[in-house]
Amino acid sequence: MISLGINEDLFDSGVVLCEDGHILFAANEERYTRRKNEGGFPHHSLAAMFAYTGIEPEAIDQIYMVGHMTPPFPVRLCPFLHSWLFEAKRNKRVTLFKRLMDAVTFLTPISHSSEDSRMRSIVRPLLPPVTRRQFPKPLQKTPLKFVEHHTAHAAGAWKCSGFDETLCITADGMGDGLSLTVSHCGGGGEQGIERLWAAAARDSFGLFFEVLAEGFGFTPCRDEGKVTGLAACGDPAAVQEDAPLVMQEGRLHYTGPLGREGVRWVREKLLPRYGRENISAWAQDVLEMQMTAIAQWWLKERGLRRLAVAGGVFANVKLNQRLHELPEVDTLFVYPNMGDGGLGLGAICAEENFAPKRIENVFLGESFDDDAIEAVLNAEGLSYEKPEDIETHAGALLAQGHIVARFSGRMEWGPRALGNRSILVRTTDRAVVDRLNTLLQRSDFMPFAPAVLAEDAELYCKDIKPGRLAAEFMTVCFDCTDRMKQEHPAIVHVDGTARAQLVSETTNPGFHKILKTFKAHSGSGVLLNTSFNIHEEPIVCTPHEAVRAFLSAQLDYLAIGPYIVSGTRTKKGQN
């Protein structure tokens, strides 16, 4: 059974190919268009999937699409609207189209219709013929099924956690009329998922953080993590405002303004009084208090001690820390591609009857052979060498204090660079943070993350056990030990936490070997790991993009495939 999962969403669309529950390929459209969180039908990633796997379109047995009302039917009917919406979100000017988008989103039932609404009953029969127009011709007659947005989020988190039975919480901006769901997975119900509770699209933590991000001058639907980064620098008690998200009689209510009105509220009322650091701390506090209360109540109600989460809100690693620290949680699993980018796999997980199986790694994109890499290096006129052991060589360079970009094996699926498309450097000097922020044009208040040998985790992170599974994918924070603070100040945030990635020999032997080599030279198996990309672009996908990013950022060395590049050009290249 060969299944294709497709997410054609407003943001972060992509594809996943599975055979009998085994993932053959997964990638998101942004890696090919080079625009972060690219939405729309994923033509480029679909073509890359067929080219890389060698599987013919005629071999696909079943296609699963995500969403009944997300994206809205008019956008599916007129695909050019995807680009308009994408550009509008990134345009800092208040345009007529932005005002129209607000009106459609918040004043019409297109984004907020319920499961049993008349609008949804009208739209559903129209989805297959409208969507098939986007398919390559050989796929246009392949069986097609649509999966509800939050069901896909929940199924992906449950099946990939490996938990036979778990509580699952999904939370995002909005999807198919909802912003948050709580489900008992593996305990009965349709598809093994029993939905216990839900919050409407307007009552959304995700939309609240989008308003804050845009109000601060950031890009909404992309930069909400910057609000979390700023929160550690502020004081929530300094903001004398009622919480805009409250629980009343078992229902979550958002009482603040949304859209353009929300942005004006942030800029004209909140920022002049409190400053963005305090507002961020206040918002983070509201999110953590409400979400942990929801998790605790339902865990106790159902007698469960395992928690799986998915949806863009759970890109918030500080929230995830609060969840794994709950006394009711024995183990937390955060779906690695937690946002809409992971929905394609979630749709397959929802509809196909395979048992939960822990996802071992997310190295599911393309890889490139030595000939392809050499061709790019030669075309760029770069001098390079092929050491006997590339990982040992890279580890030694890192121990000497050099910044090394690594391009190796298959590309990561999801928002985190986990060693195969990463920039690495030692963490013993905070000056390296300033240098990297300058080279990569990063915001100086955003923390860097450490990669840590899994076997050394307890030396550097506190209360590691409940969050260990999530930490393999760099999706959760931990309080740092004194040793971490003393030895590795460059990756300790101002609140004493770190978003640690635990690297095991089983899941990434090459990266693990680099850390082991670095430890042999320096005495510590901890390295700073940040994504390998040019400023404002997604993580690199191809050798050409890797070389371009390496030269643009003026890094010290590039470990690409089996080769080491120093940045020195040959005479041919200089000419």
Side-chain angles (χ1 to χ4, degrees), residues 2-7 14-19 22-28 42 45-46 49 60 62 64 335 337 341-349 364 413:
I2 299 180
S3 308
L4 172 61
I6 300 178
N7 171 41
V15 301
V16 175
L17 187 69
C18 290
E19 183 173 13
H22 175 69
I23 307 169
L24 303 179
F25 183 91
N28 293 108
S45 46
L46 186 63
M49 179 198 79
I60 305 297
Q62 178 71 51
Y64 299 105
Y335 189 50
N337 200 350
L343 286 170
L345 178 57
I348 295 173
C349 290
L364 301 170
W413 177 63

PDB file of all heavy atoms in Angstrom, residues 2-7 14-19 22-28 42 45-46 49 60 62 64 335 337 341-349 364 413:
ATOM      1  N   ILE A   2       0.895   1.962  -1.101  1.00  0.00           N
ATOM      2  CA  ILE A   2       1.681   3.191  -1.209  1.00  0.00           C
ATOM      3  C   ILE A   2       0.734   4.373  -1.114  1.00  0.00           C
ATOM      4  O   ILE A   2      -0.200   4.500  -1.916  1.00  0.00           O
ATOM      5  CB  ILE A   2       2.497   3.234  -2.508  1.00  0.00           C
ATOM      6  CG1 ILE A   2       3.487   2.068  -2.547  1.00  0.00           C
ATOM      7  CG2 ILE A   2       3.243   4.559  -2.631  1.00  0.00           C
ATOM      8  CD1 ILE A   2       4.332   2.015  -3.794  1.00  0.00           C
ATOM      9  N   SER A   3       0.957   5.216  -0.108  1.00  0.00           N
ATOM     10  CA  SER A   3       0.045   6.313   0.199  1.00  0.00           C
ATOM     11  C   SER A   3       0.759   7.647   0.098  1.00  0.00           C
ATOM     12  O   SER A   3       1.915   7.773   0.519  1.00  0.00           O
ATOM     13  CB  SER A   3      -0.528   6.156   1.609  1.00  0.00           C
ATOM     14  OG  SER A   3      -1.090   4.878   1.780  1.00  0.00           O
ATOM     15  N   LEU A   4       0.065   8.626  -0.421  1.00  0.00           N
ATOM     16  CA  LEU A   4       0.592   9.985  -0.562  1.00  0.00           C
ATOM     17  C   LEU A   4      -0.243  10.929   0.292  1.00  0.00           C
ATOM     18  O   LEU A   4      -1.460  11.011   0.133  1.00  0.00           O
ATOM     19  CB  LEU A   4       0.538  10.404  -2.032  1.00  0.00           C
ATOM     20  CG  LEU A   4       0.871  11.865  -2.374  1.00  0.00           C
ATOM     21  CD1 LEU A   4       2.285  12.211  -1.957  1.00  0.00           C
ATOM     22  CD2 LEU A   4       0.663  12.110  -3.873  1.00  0.00           C
ATOM     23  N   GLY A   5       0.397  11.619   1.220  1.00  0.00           N
ATOM     24  CA  GLY A   5      -0.255  12.633   2.033  1.00  0.00           C
ATOM     25  C   GLY A   5       0.125  14.011   1.538  1.00  0.00           C
ATOM     26  O   GLY A   5       1.318  14.296   1.363  1.00  0.00           O
ATOM     27  N   ILE A   6      -0.862  14.862   1.299  1.00  0.00           N
ATOM     28  CA  ILE A   6      -0.607  16.205   0.769  1.00  0.00           C
ATOM     29  C   ILE A   6      -1.275  17.237   1.668  1.00  0.00           C
ATOM     30  O   ILE A   6      -2.459  17.122   1.988  1.00  0.00           O
ATOM     31  CB  ILE A   6      -1.143  16.364  -0.668  1.00  0.00           C
ATOM     32  CG1 ILE A   6      -0.465  15.362  -1.607  1.00  0.00           C
ATOM     33  CG2 ILE A   6      -0.936  17.788  -1.164  1.00  0.00           C
ATOM     34  CD1 ILE A   6      -0.979  15.425  -3.041  1.00  0.00           C
ATOM     35  N   ASN A   7      -0.517  18.229   2.059  1.00  0.00           N
ATOM     36  CA  ASN A   7      -1.068  19.372   2.773  1.00  0.00           C
ATOM     37  C   ASN A   7      -0.976  20.588   1.879  1.00  0.00           C
ATOM     38  O   ASN A   7       0.112  21.089   1.602  1.00  0.00           O
ATOM     39  CB  ASN A   7      -0.304  19.627   4.075  1.00  0.00           C
ATOM     40  CG  ASN A   7      -0.722  20.932   4.714  1.00  0.00           C
ATOM     41  OD1 ASN A   7      -1.898  21.258   4.724  1.00  0.00           O
ATOM     42  ND2 ASN A   7       0.234  21.684   5.230  1.00  0.00           N
ATOM     43  N   GLY A  14       3.157  20.729   1.981  1.00  0.00           N
ATOM     44  CA  GLY A  14       4.171  19.714   1.747  1.00  0.00           C
ATOM     45  C   GLY A  14       3.575  18.365   1.415  1.00  0.00           C
ATOM     46  O   GLY A  14       2.356  18.198   1.310  1.00  0.00           O
ATOM     47  N   VAL A  15       4.469  17.378   1.242  1.00  0.00           N
ATOM     48  CA  VAL A  15       4.064  16.024   0.860  1.00  0.00           C
ATOM     49  C   VAL A  15       4.775  14.999   1.730  1.00  0.00           C
ATOM     50  O   VAL A  15       5.877  15.241   2.245  1.00  0.00           O
ATOM     51  CB  VAL A  15       4.375  15.729  -0.623  1.00  0.00           C
ATOM     52  CG1 VAL A  15       3.665  16.708  -1.540  1.00  0.00           C
ATOM     53  CG2 VAL A  15       5.884  15.757  -0.893  1.00  0.00           C
ATOM     54  N   VAL A  16       4.128  13.827   1.863  1.00  0.00           N
ATOM     55  CA  VAL A  16       4.711  12.674   2.536  1.00  0.00           C
ATOM     56  C   VAL A  16       4.328  11.433   1.751  1.00  0.00           C
ATOM     57  O   VAL A  16       3.169  11.277   1.341  1.00  0.00           O
ATOM     58  CB  VAL A  16       4.211  12.536   3.991  1.00  0.00           C
ATOM     59  CG1 VAL A  16       4.747  11.261   4.629  1.00  0.00           C
ATOM     60  CG2 VAL A  16       4.619  13.743   4.822  1.00  0.00           C
ATOM     61  N   LEU A  17       5.283  10.545   1.536  1.00  0.00           N
ATOM     62  CA  LEU A  17       5.036   9.284   0.841  1.00  0.00           C
ATOM     63  C   LEU A  17       5.326   8.132   1.795  1.00  0.00           C
ATOM     64  O   LEU A  17       6.401   8.080   2.404  1.00  0.00           O
ATOM     65  CB  LEU A  17       5.931   9.167  -0.394  1.00  0.00           C
ATOM     66  CG  LEU A  17       5.672   7.968  -1.311  1.00  0.00           C
ATOM     67  CD1 LEU A  17       4.326   8.126  -2.020  1.00  0.00           C
ATOM     68  CD2 LEU A  17       6.790   7.829  -2.344  1.00  0.00           C
ATOM     69  N   CYS A  18       4.365   7.228   1.936  1.00  0.00           N
ATOM     70  CA  CYS A  18       4.508   6.078   2.840  1.00  0.00           C
ATOM     71  C   CYS A  18       4.199   4.788   2.104  1.00  0.00           C
ATOM     72  O   CYS A  18       3.367   4.757   1.190  1.00  0.00           O
ATOM     73  CB  CYS A  18       3.555   6.194   4.030  1.00  0.00           C
ATOM     74  SG  CYS A  18       3.958   7.493   5.199  1.00  0.00           S
ATOM     75  N   GLU A  19       4.867   3.727   2.539  1.00  0.00           N
ATOM     76  CA  GLU A  19       4.541   2.384   2.071  1.00  0.00           C
ATOM     77  C   GLU A  19       4.274   1.513   3.284  1.00  0.00           C
ATOM     78  O   GLU A  19       5.178   1.270   4.086  1.00  0.00           O
ATOM     79  CB  GLU A  19       5.678   1.796   1.234  1.00  0.00           C
ATOM     80  CG  GLU A  19       5.341   0.426   0.666  1.00  0.00           C
ATOM     81  CD  GLU A  19       6.403  -0.091  -0.299  1.00  0.00           C
ATOM     82  OE1 GLU A  19       7.506   0.490  -0.331  1.00  0.00           O
ATOM     83  OE2 GLU A  19       6.120  -1.069  -1.013  1.00  0.00           O
ATOM     84  N   HIS A  22       5.469   2.879   6.487  1.00  0.00           N
ATOM     85  CA  HIS A  22       6.894   3.260   6.533  1.00  0.00           C
ATOM     86  C   HIS A  22       7.095   4.516   5.689  1.00  0.00           C
ATOM     87  O   HIS A  22       6.689   4.557   4.520  1.00  0.00           O
ATOM     88  CB  HIS A  22       7.757   2.123   6.008  1.00  0.00           C
ATOM     89  CG  HIS A  22       9.205   2.463   5.897  1.00  0.00           C
ATOM     90  ND1 HIS A  22      10.014   2.660   7.001  1.00  0.00           N
ATOM     91  CD2 HIS A  22       9.999   2.669   4.812  1.00  0.00           C
ATOM     92  CE1 HIS A  22      11.237   2.952   6.599  1.00  0.00           C
ATOM     93  NE2 HIS A  22      11.256   2.973   5.283  1.00  0.00           N
ATOM     94  N   ILE A  23       7.728   5.538   6.270  1.00  0.00           N
ATOM     95  CA  ILE A  23       7.898   6.811   5.569  1.00  0.00           C
ATOM     96  C   ILE A  23       9.053   6.710   4.576  1.00  0.00           C
ATOM     97  O   ILE A  23      10.202   6.456   4.951  1.00  0.00           O
ATOM     98  CB  ILE A  23       8.161   7.963   6.561  1.00  0.00           C
ATOM     99  CG1 ILE A  23       7.084   8.013   7.644  1.00  0.00           C
ATOM    100  CG2 ILE A  23       8.216   9.295   5.812  1.00  0.00           C
ATOM    101  CD1 ILE A  23       7.417   8.944   8.795  1.00  0.00           C
ATOM    102  N   LEU A  24       8.748   6.914   3.297  1.00  0.00           N
ATOM    103  CA  LEU A  24       9.771   6.881   2.251  1.00  0.00           C
ATOM    104  C   LEU A  24      10.355   8.259   1.976  1.00  0.00           C
ATOM    105  O   LEU A  24      11.529   8.379   1.619  1.00  0.00           O
ATOM    106  CB  LEU A  24       9.173   6.324   0.957  1.00  0.00           C
ATOM    107  CG  LEU A  24       8.540   4.938   1.017  1.00  0.00           C
ATOM    108  CD1 LEU A  24       7.982   4.567  -0.354  1.00  0.00           C
ATOM    109  CD2 LEU A  24       9.560   3.900   1.481  1.00  0.00           C
ATOM    110  N   PHE A  25       9.534   9.299   2.117  1.00  0.00           N
ATOM    111  CA  PHE A  25       9.970  10.655   1.772  1.00  0.00           C
ATOM    112  C   PHE A  25       9.026  11.648   2.430  1.00  0.00           C
ATOM    113  O   PHE A  25       7.823  11.403   2.522  1.00  0.00           O
ATOM    114  CB  PHE A  25       9.940  10.850   0.250  1.00  0.00           C
ATOM    115  CG  PHE A  25      10.430  12.198  -0.222  1.00  0.00           C
ATOM    116  CD1 PHE A  25      11.766  12.393  -0.543  1.00  0.00           C
ATOM    117  CD2 PHE A  25       9.551  13.264  -0.355  1.00  0.00           C
ATOM    118  CE1 PHE A  25      12.214  13.630  -0.991  1.00  0.00           C
ATOM    119  CE2 PHE A  25       9.994  14.508  -0.794  1.00  0.00           C
ATOM    120  CZ  PHE A  25      11.333  14.689  -1.111  1.00  0.00           C
ATOM    121  N   ALA A  26       9.581  12.763   2.891  1.00  0.00           N
ATOM    122  CA  ALA A  26       8.763  13.846   3.431  1.00  0.00           C
ATOM    123  C   ALA A  26       9.507  15.156   3.251  1.00  0.00           C
ATOM    124  O   ALA A  26      10.694  15.247   3.587  1.00  0.00           O
ATOM    125  CB  ALA A  26       8.435  13.610   4.912  1.00  0.00           C
ATOM    126  N   ALA A  27       8.835  16.146   2.716  1.00  0.00           N
ATOM    127  CA  ALA A  27       9.461  17.462   2.532  1.00  0.00           C
ATOM    128  C   ALA A  27       8.380  18.514   2.383  1.00  0.00           C
ATOM    129  O   ALA A  27       7.253  18.219   1.981  1.00  0.00           O
ATOM    130  CB  ALA A  27      10.375  17.471   1.306  1.00  0.00           C
ATOM    131  N   ASN A  28       8.752  19.753   2.678  1.00  0.00           N
ATOM    132  CA  ASN A  28       7.820  20.879   2.574  1.00  0.00           C
ATOM    133  C   ASN A  28       8.217  21.808   1.442  1.00  0.00           C
ATOM    134  O   ASN A  28       9.395  21.900   1.056  1.00  0.00           O
ATOM    135  CB  ASN A  28       7.742  21.621   3.896  1.00  0.00           C
ATOM    136  CG  ASN A  28       7.088  20.776   4.985  1.00  0.00           C
ATOM    137  OD1 ASN A  28       7.747  20.315   5.906  1.00  0.00           O
ATOM    138  ND2 ASN A  28       5.796  20.542   4.864  1.00  0.00           N
ATOM    139  N   PRO A  42       1.637  21.878  -3.184  1.00  0.00           N
ATOM    140  CA  PRO A  42       3.095  21.651  -3.156  1.00  0.00           C
ATOM    141  C   PRO A  42       3.640  21.002  -4.430  1.00  0.00           C
ATOM    142  O   PRO A  42       4.144  19.870  -4.425  1.00  0.00           O
ATOM    143  CB  PRO A  42       3.263  20.728  -1.942  1.00  0.00           C
ATOM    144  CG  PRO A  42       1.991  19.953  -1.876  1.00  0.00           C
ATOM    145  CD  PRO A  42       0.913  20.908  -2.329  1.00  0.00           C
ATOM    146  N   SER A  45       7.647  20.146  -4.179  1.00  0.00           N
ATOM    147  CA  SER A  45       8.014  19.028  -3.310  1.00  0.00           C
ATOM    148  C   SER A  45       7.435  17.718  -3.835  1.00  0.00           C
ATOM    149  O   SER A  45       8.040  16.649  -3.663  1.00  0.00           O
ATOM    150  CB  SER A  45       7.571  19.283  -1.861  1.00  0.00           C
ATOM    151  OG  SER A  45       6.252  19.756  -1.783  1.00  0.00           O
ATOM    152  N   LEU A  46       6.294  17.761  -4.498  1.00  0.00           N
ATOM    153  CA  LEU A  46       5.732  16.557  -5.110  1.00  0.00           C
ATOM    154  C   LEU A  46       6.631  16.057  -6.235  1.00  0.00           C
ATOM    155  O   LEU A  46       6.925  14.849  -6.328  1.00  0.00           O
ATOM    156  CB  LEU A  46       4.330  16.862  -5.645  1.00  0.00           C
ATOM    157  CG  LEU A  46       3.535  15.680  -6.197  1.00  0.00           C
ATOM    158  CD1 LEU A  46       3.259  14.652  -5.114  1.00  0.00           C
ATOM    159  CD2 LEU A  46       2.218  16.156  -6.815  1.00  0.00           C
ATOM    160  N   MET A  49       9.744  14.545  -4.746  1.00  0.00           N
ATOM    161  CA  MET A  49       9.445  13.228  -4.163  1.00  0.00           C
ATOM    162  C   MET A  49       9.512  12.131  -5.224  1.00  0.00           C
ATOM    163  O   MET A  49      10.161  11.092  -5.031  1.00  0.00           O
ATOM    164  CB  MET A  49       8.060  13.256  -3.529  1.00  0.00           C
ATOM    165  CG  MET A  49       7.611  11.952  -2.907  1.00  0.00           C
ATOM    166  SD  MET A  49       5.818  11.928  -2.671  1.00  0.00           S
ATOM    167  CE  MET A  49       5.272  11.548  -4.345  1.00  0.00           C
ATOM    168  N   ILE A  60       0.924   4.988  -6.957  1.00  0.00           N
ATOM    169  CA  ILE A  60       0.250   5.489  -5.755  1.00  0.00           C
ATOM    170  C   ILE A  60      -1.134   4.846  -5.641  1.00  0.00           C
ATOM    171  O   ILE A  60      -1.938   4.910  -6.572  1.00  0.00           O
ATOM    172  CB  ILE A  60       0.104   7.029  -5.794  1.00  0.00           C
ATOM    173  CG1 ILE A  60       1.472   7.707  -5.998  1.00  0.00           C
ATOM    174  CG2 ILE A  60      -0.569   7.535  -4.515  1.00  0.00           C
ATOM    175  CD1 ILE A  60       2.452   7.490  -4.910  1.00  0.00           C
ATOM    176  N   GLN A  62      -3.323   5.491  -2.898  1.00  0.00           N
ATOM    177  CA  GLN A  62      -4.291   6.336  -2.205  1.00  0.00           C
ATOM    178  C   GLN A  62      -3.666   7.699  -1.933  1.00  0.00           C
ATOM    179  O   GLN A  62      -2.496   7.793  -1.562  1.00  0.00           O
ATOM    180  CB  GLN A  62      -4.704   5.699  -0.871  1.00  0.00           C
ATOM    181  CG  GLN A  62      -5.670   6.503  -0.032  1.00  0.00           C
ATOM    182  CD  GLN A  62      -7.070   6.552  -0.606  1.00  0.00           C
ATOM    183  OE1 GLN A  62      -7.647   5.517  -0.932  1.00  0.00           O
ATOM    184  NE2 GLN A  62      -7.622   7.753  -0.744  1.00  0.00           N
ATOM    185  N   TYR A  64      -4.267  11.230   0.351  1.00  0.00           N
ATOM    186  CA  TYR A  64      -4.988  11.871   1.452  1.00  0.00           C
ATOM    187  C   TYR A  64      -4.660  13.351   1.440  1.00  0.00           C
ATOM    188  O   TYR A  64      -3.491  13.740   1.475  1.00  0.00           O
ATOM    189  CB  TYR A  64      -4.577  11.264   2.797  1.00  0.00           C
ATOM    190  CG  TYR A  64      -4.861   9.794   2.915  1.00  0.00           C
ATOM    191  CD1 TYR A  64      -3.831   8.859   2.840  1.00  0.00           C
ATOM    192  CD2 TYR A  64      -6.162   9.317   3.094  1.00  0.00           C
ATOM    193  CE1 TYR A  64      -4.079   7.495   2.943  1.00  0.00           C
ATOM    194  CE2 TYR A  64      -6.420   7.964   3.206  1.00  0.00           C
ATOM    195  CZ  TYR A  64      -5.378   7.054   3.124  1.00  0.00           C
ATOM    196  OH  TYR A  64      -5.639   5.711   3.231  1.00  0.00           O
ATOM    197  N   TYR A 335       5.195  16.296  18.349  1.00  0.00           N
ATOM    198  CA  TYR A 335       5.301  15.893  16.941  1.00  0.00           C
ATOM    199  C   TYR A 335       6.391  16.739  16.281  1.00  0.00           C
ATOM    200  O   TYR A 335       6.339  17.972  16.328  1.00  0.00           O
ATOM    201  CB  TYR A 335       3.944  16.133  16.287  1.00  0.00           C
ATOM    202  CG  TYR A 335       3.767  15.588  14.899  1.00  0.00           C
ATOM    203  CD1 TYR A 335       4.081  14.268  14.585  1.00  0.00           C
ATOM    204  CD2 TYR A 335       3.224  16.383  13.894  1.00  0.00           C
ATOM    205  CE1 TYR A 335       3.876  13.768  13.318  1.00  0.00           C
ATOM    206  CE2 TYR A 335       3.006  15.904  12.622  1.00  0.00           C
ATOM    207  CZ  TYR A 335       3.334  14.587  12.333  1.00  0.00           C
ATOM    208  OH  TYR A 335       3.121  14.093  11.066  1.00  0.00           O
ATOM    209  N   ASN A 337       7.356  17.722  13.275  1.00  0.00           N
ATOM    210  CA  ASN A 337       6.916  18.769  12.346  1.00  0.00           C
ATOM    211  C   ASN A 337       5.544  19.228  12.811  1.00  0.00           C
ATOM    212  O   ASN A 337       4.511  18.954  12.205  1.00  0.00           O
ATOM    213  CB  ASN A 337       6.868  18.232  10.911  1.00  0.00           C
ATOM    214  CG  ASN A 337       6.908  19.347   9.883  1.00  0.00           C
ATOM    215  OD1 ASN A 337       6.791  20.522  10.200  1.00  0.00           O
ATOM    216  ND2 ASN A 337       7.072  18.971   8.629  1.00  0.00           N
ATOM    217  N   GLY A 341       3.037  21.945   8.436  1.00  0.00           N
ATOM    218  CA  GLY A 341       3.955  21.179   7.599  1.00  0.00           C
ATOM    219  C   GLY A 341       3.918  19.685   7.850  1.00  0.00           C
ATOM    220  O   GLY A 341       4.331  18.897   7.005  1.00  0.00           O
ATOM    221  N   GLY A 342       3.419  19.264   9.003  1.00  0.00           N
ATOM    222  CA  GLY A 342       3.360  17.845   9.327  1.00  0.00           C
ATOM    223  C   GLY A 342       2.030  17.194   9.052  1.00  0.00           C
ATOM    224  O   GLY A 342       1.829  16.007   9.361  1.00  0.00           O
ATOM    225  N   LEU A 343       1.080  17.920   8.471  1.00  0.00           N
ATOM    226  CA  LEU A 343      -0.280  17.413   8.321  1.00  0.00           C
ATOM    227  C   LEU A 343      -0.410  16.283   7.306  1.00  0.00           C
ATOM    228  O   LEU A 343      -1.283  15.424   7.427  1.00  0.00           O
ATOM    229  CB  LEU A 343      -1.227  18.549   7.939  1.00  0.00           C
ATOM    230  CG  LEU A 343      -1.588  19.521   9.068  1.00  0.00           C
ATOM    231  CD1 LEU A 343      -2.332  20.730   8.516  1.00  0.00           C
ATOM    232  CD2 LEU A 343      -2.432  18.827  10.123  1.00  0.00           C
ATOM    233  N   GLY A 344       0.450  16.262   6.290  1.00  0.00           N
ATOM    234  CA  GLY A 344       0.362  15.202   5.283  1.00  0.00           C
ATOM    235  C   GLY A 344       0.552  13.829   5.896  1.00  0.00           C
ATOM    236  O   GLY A 344      -0.212  12.887   5.617  1.00  0.00           O
ATOM    237  N   LEU A 345       1.562  13.689   6.741  1.00  0.00           N
ATOM    238  CA  LEU A 345       1.778  12.416   7.438  1.00  0.00           C
ATOM    239  C   LEU A 345       0.636  12.158   8.410  1.00  0.00           C
ATOM    240  O   LEU A 345       0.177  11.018   8.566  1.00  0.00           O
ATOM    241  CB  LEU A 345       3.115  12.428   8.174  1.00  0.00           C
ATOM    242  CG  LEU A 345       3.438  11.177   8.993  1.00  0.00           C
ATOM    243  CD1 LEU A 345       3.416   9.923   8.134  1.00  0.00           C
ATOM    244  CD2 LEU A 345       4.797  11.323   9.682  1.00  0.00           C
ATOM    245  N   GLY A 346       0.161  13.207   9.072  1.00  0.00           N
ATOM    246  CA  GLY A 346      -0.953  13.045   9.998  1.00  0.00           C
ATOM    247  C   GLY A 346      -2.189  12.490   9.317  1.00  0.00           C
ATOM    248  O   GLY A 346      -2.916  11.666   9.891  1.00  0.00           O
ATOM    249  N   ALA A 347      -2.447  12.914   8.071  1.00  0.00           N
ATOM    250  CA  ALA A 347      -3.612  12.413   7.335  1.00  0.00           C
ATOM    251  C   ALA A 347      -3.483  10.920   7.070  1.00  0.00           C
ATOM    252  O   ALA A 347      -4.450  10.160   7.201  1.00  0.00           O
ATOM    253  CB  ALA A 347      -3.760  13.184   6.023  1.00  0.00           C
ATOM    254  N   ILE A 348      -2.286  10.481   6.694  1.00  0.00           N
ATOM    255  CA  ILE A 348      -2.051   9.041   6.476  1.00  0.00           C
ATOM    256  C   ILE A 348      -2.235   8.283   7.779  1.00  0.00           C
ATOM    257  O   ILE A 348      -2.873   7.226   7.824  1.00  0.00           O
ATOM    258  CB  ILE A 348      -0.643   8.809   5.891  1.00  0.00           C
ATOM    259  CG1 ILE A 348      -0.541   9.432   4.499  1.00  0.00           C
ATOM    260  CG2 ILE A 348      -0.323   7.315   5.826  1.00  0.00           C
ATOM    261  CD1 ILE A 348       0.863   9.407   3.904  1.00  0.00           C
ATOM    262  N   CYS A 349      -1.682   8.825   8.868  1.00  0.00           N
ATOM    263  CA  CYS A 349      -1.806   8.173  10.181  1.00  0.00           C
ATOM    264  C   CYS A 349      -3.272   8.054  10.607  1.00  0.00           C
ATOM    265  O   CYS A 349      -3.664   7.075  11.260  1.00  0.00           O
ATOM    266  CB  CYS A 349      -1.029   8.969  11.237  1.00  0.00           C
ATOM    267  SG  CYS A 349       0.763   8.906  11.062  1.00  0.00           S
ATOM    268  N   LEU A 364      14.260  12.685   6.230  1.00  0.00           N
ATOM    269  CA  LEU A 364      13.307  12.086   5.296  1.00  0.00           C
ATOM    270  C   LEU A 364      13.285  12.785   3.940  1.00  0.00           C
ATOM    271  O   LEU A 364      12.511  12.404   3.063  1.00  0.00           O
ATOM    272  CB  LEU A 364      11.902  12.134   5.910  1.00  0.00           C
ATOM    273  CG  LEU A 364      11.749  11.408   7.256  1.00  0.00           C
ATOM    274  CD1 LEU A 364      10.397  11.734   7.889  1.00  0.00           C
ATOM    275  CD2 LEU A 364      11.921   9.907   7.089  1.00  0.00           C
ATOM    276  N   TRP A 413      13.162  16.902   7.925  1.00  0.00           N
ATOM    277  CA  TRP A 413      11.770  17.275   7.684  1.00  0.00           C
ATOM    278  C   TRP A 413      11.278  18.015   8.920  1.00  0.00           C
ATOM    279  O   TRP A 413      11.384  17.515  10.034  1.00  0.00           O
ATOM    280  CB  TRP A 413      10.945  16.005   7.455  1.00  0.00           C
ATOM    281  CG  TRP A 413       9.480  16.188   7.267  1.00  0.00           C
ATOM    282  CD1 TRP A 413       8.860  16.868   6.264  1.00  0.00           C
ATOM    283  CD2 TRP A 413       8.436  15.647   8.086  1.00  0.00           C
ATOM    284  NE1 TRP A 413       7.490  16.786   6.404  1.00  0.00           N
ATOM    285  CE2 TRP A 413       7.203  16.039   7.508  1.00  0.00           C
ATOM    286  CE3 TRP A 413       8.419  14.872   9.248  1.00  0.00           C
ATOM    287  CZ2 TRP A 413       5.972  15.680   8.070  1.00  0.00           C
ATOM    288  CZ3 TRP A 413       7.193  14.522   9.797  1.00  0.00           C
ATOM    289  CH2 TRP A 413       5.986  14.923   9.207  1.00  0.00           C
TER     290      TRP A 413
END
